[in-house]
Amino acid sequence: MNETWIILGATSSMARAYARKVSETGAAVILAGRNTKELAALATDCEIRGARSAKAAKLDVRDEKTFGAIIKDAIKEEGTINVACFVGSMPDQSEIDDDPSLIDGVVTDSFTGPAKFLQTIAPELEARDGGTVVGVGSVAGDRGRVGNYVYGAAKAGFHTYLSGLRNRLTRSGGHVVTVKPGFVDTAMTWGIEGMFLVAKPEDIADEIHKAVKKKRNTIYTPFFWRYIMLIIRSIPEPIFKKMSI
Ligand SMILES: NC(=O)c1ccc[n+]([C@@H]2O[C@H](COP(=O)([O-])OP(=O)(O)OC[C@H]3O[C@@H](n4cnc5c(N)ncnc54)[C@H](OP(=O)(O)O)[C@@H]3O)[C@@H](O)[C@H]2O)c1
């Protein structure tokens, strides 16, 4: 079956690894992001790996005007349209504490921008009997922590959005996979101190690929974060509010 994957935030190293993976299955890939020069190089790589077609597309989730051309490109392709969203931004919480206006950007990049894109394309997915949406959230969305609670709040909103979208797309045969990574070695986390059990982006891409095949609803990746977050969510608030984890 012909598949097209639109990859949002395709310069992310997790996204690049995922784009390579779906290219090996012969899918068409639309690599969307702000740096189209880098994405053009990735498109060549994807074609060499077997993508039916691969192209770079301009996307800034803060600018809805960039959505239309990507969606137009996707609907030219026959078969199922799938979307994997890796977009997000995480400035240091202390920067946001100093400048609360940064909240808007974090929430747009990590929640409302991707949600608007998905909301715009959802009717096209429904018209083609579904399709798969992969939404990359974060374990940070499971509980507000002193170190990154604005980013965490944006991801929590995105998780709830994805849950509702899953409910909607199920009705037309579609599916939504919510991905909650723990610490991953990427540009977002370079230089952050105190990280542990740091995963490789390629391993996260493999886990996402498996989750899509198995139609999982929500995955923690690597898997042990499910148990770490179970413990973190179970800490009573009177104790949690004094902790710096
Ligand atoms: N690394 C971790 O430990 C970790 C853990 C949990 C969840 N996550 C999530 O995993 C996803 C991928 O992140 P990453 O770790 O691979 O970091 P990353 O390299 O910083 O990836 C973030 C991606 O979002 C894109 N982006 C940010 N703002 C955008 C905007 N306004 N419009 C379009 N694209 C925008 C970035 O594009 P540019 O290249 O143009 O900046 C980049 O492609 C993110 O959603 C992140 O929140 C990461």
Side-chain angles (χ1 to χ4, degrees):
M1 189 180 55
N2 286 344
E3 281 195 313
T4 298
W5 276 95
I6 304 173
I7 308 217
L8 308 177
T11 49
S12 144
S13 32
M14 281 184 239
R16 287 170 196 261
Y18 191 66
R20 292 186 190 111
K21 209 129 197 97
V22 294
S23 295
E24 284 160 11
T25 69
V29 288
I30 298 173
L31 306 163
R34 294 185 290 200
N35 188 337
T36 43
K37 204 170 157 201
E38 266 194 44
L39 294 176
L42 178 63
T44 306
D45 186 11
C46 288
E47 270 170 356
I48 292 166
R49 286 166 194 268
R52 190 171 80 246
S53 69
K55 67 186 296 184
K58 185 83 188 162
L59 169 76
D60 184 338
V61 295
R62 298 188 191 191
D63 179 4
E64 289 164 55
K65 291 194 291 297
T66 61
F67 297 177
I70 300 168
I71 295 172
K72 217 165 142 191
D73 273 345
I75 59 183
K76 275 188 215 150
E77 299 283 340
E78 283 179 20
T80 313
I81 300 173
N82 305 318
V83 186
C85 177
F86 292 84
V87 178
S89 68
M90 188 182 71
D92 205 84
Q93 181 64 46
S94 62
E95 284 175 37
I96 304 173
D97 294 343
D98 291 343
D99 180 2
S101 71
L102 293 177
I103 289 179
D104 292 342
V106 179
V107 173
T108 307
D109 296 343
S110 305
F111 168 27
T112 55
K116 277 186 195 162
F117 182 91
L118 293 170
Q119 206 65 13
T120 309
I121 201 167
E124 300 295 345
L125 307 191
E126 288 171 318
R128 298 190 188 202
D129 302 328
T132 299
V133 171
V134 171
V136 178
S138 172
V139 293
D142 273 15
R143 195 161 189 183
R145 295 188 298 110
V146 71
N148 66 358
Y149 57 94
V150 169
Y151 169 76
K155 288 297 192 181
F158 193 42
H159 296 162
T160 303
Y161 172 79
L162 292 168
S163 167
L165 186 66
R166 179 181 303 117
N167 218 228
R168 171 177 169 181
L169 293 185
T170 296
R171 287 151 221 269
S172 54
H175 187 59
V176 176
V177 182
T178 304
V179 178
K180 298 186 182 181
F183 295 125
V184 189
D185 183 16
T186 68
M188 186 175 275
T189 52
W190 285 336
I192 296 182
E193 284 175 16
M195 292 201 306
F196 54 93
L197 301 170
V198 181
K200 289 195 222 138
E202 295 76 17
D203 293 343
I204 304 297
D206 279 353
E207 292 283 306
I208 295 174
H209 194 62
K210 281 186 205 145
V212 167
K213 296 277 160 254
K214 290 184 182 166
K215 288 195 176 236
R216 299 277 304 278
N217 295 314
T218 298
I219 61 161
Y220 286 80
T221 174
F223 75 95
F224 46 77
W225 280 95
R226 179 176 294 278
Y227 306 105
I228 295 174
M229 294 318 296
L230 186 65
I231 294 166
I232 290 178
R233 284 198 311 275
S234 322
I235 301 171
E237 195 66 18
I239 298 170
F240 188 74
K241 71 181 180 187
K242 295 178 190 150
M243 295 174 75
S244 303
I245 50 171

